[in-house]
Amino acid sequence: MTRVQGGAMAAGLVLVLAAVNLSVRQKEALVATGTPVLLRLAPVDPRSLMQGDYMRLDYALLRDLPPEIEAGPRTMTVRLTLDAAGVATRLAPAEGAQPAAGEAHMIVRRVGERRWRLGSDAWFFQEGTAEVYAGARYGEYRTDAAGESVLVGLRDEHRARLGPDRFAHRWQVPAPR
């Protein structure tokens, strides 16, 4: 390998690591400052032999989509209407750059012909702790105005956090409204 090839490889590695670091920083900022949103869950499958313990997630809001979303593009930003507790109660196509008070934006994606995904479709947890998450009824997200989102936890019927706060060591995450 010549010096030029070695230098090019090192420069490429630095660029890749910088891009990954930027992405991580953006997600950390979203978790720290994003709008808290709770999505009502419809849990599906609690375990994968290849991946360990996890809960496959489905959301009640996706069960009865408005026609304008069903007929829309494969990926679109939607407007979530939030109740006083921060629970999303309705979704519709987003009609502006910024969500209004009591609203949040998230990106919805069509997976296949009939299935839709809103946020993450799985929550992984340490093997042997499935009973901690068995009572999950809400997925807790942080979202930004563009609809980017991060699943930060699961909550029970009373909206209490289940399991350890995975982000407590980095910053204090505000409780949902």
Side-chain angles (χ1 to χ4, degrees):
M1 179 181 329
T2 68
R3 280 189 150 181
V4 172
Q5 289 173 327
M9 286 179 59
L13 178 62
V14 167
L15 287 174
V16 168
L17 292 175
V20 169
N21 192 34
L22 177 63
S23 176
V24 168
R25 294 244 181 228
Q26 288 171 335
K27 293 296 184 187
E28 286 179 342
L30 179 56
V31 169
T33 62
T35 302
V37 174
L38 296 177
L39 295 178
R40 182 84 173 149
L41 292 177
V44 187
D45 180 16
R47 189 166 175 87
S48 166
L49 294 176
M50 297 300 289
Q51 296 174 306
D53 284 345
Y54 81 107
M55 178 180 287
R56 196 167 126 220
L57 304 175
D58 191 14
Y59 301 101
L61 283 176
L62 297 177
R63 299 285 168 98
D64 190 27
L65 290 173
E68 58 271 25
I69 293 175
E70 283 278 359
R74 296 188 72 79
T75 300
M76 69 186 302
T77 302
V78 294
R79 181 182 72 247
L80 302 171
T81 302
L82 308 177
D83 68 11
V87 177
T89 58
R90 186 173 157 263
L91 64 97
E95 297 171 354
Q98 296 292 323
E103 295 180 345
H105 286 172
M106 281 184 81
I107 296 171
V108 65
R109 293 176 175 84
R110 185 189 325 255
V111 181
E113 288 304 311
R114 295 207 120 110
R115 188 166 175 264
W116 291 85
R117 181 182 305 157
L118 183 64
S120 178
D121 66 348
W123 176 257
F124 291 86
F125 45 85
Q126 187 173 358
E127 191 169 337
T129 62
E131 67 280 352
V132 171
Y133 301 99
R137 297 296 175 263
Y138 297 94
E140 179 184 1
Y141 281 87
R142 294 294 183 269
T143 67
D144 66 12
E148 293 296 325
S149 63
V150 175
L151 178 63
V152 297
L154 297 179
R155 294 190 175 249
D156 67 12
E157 189 63 39
H158 304 290
R159 295 182 295 282
R161 177 174 281 122
L162 299 173
D165 183 352
R166 295 180 179 185
F167 301 102
H169 67 285
R170 309 276 334 242
W171 50 74
Q172 185 63 36
V173 177
R177 296 180 251 165

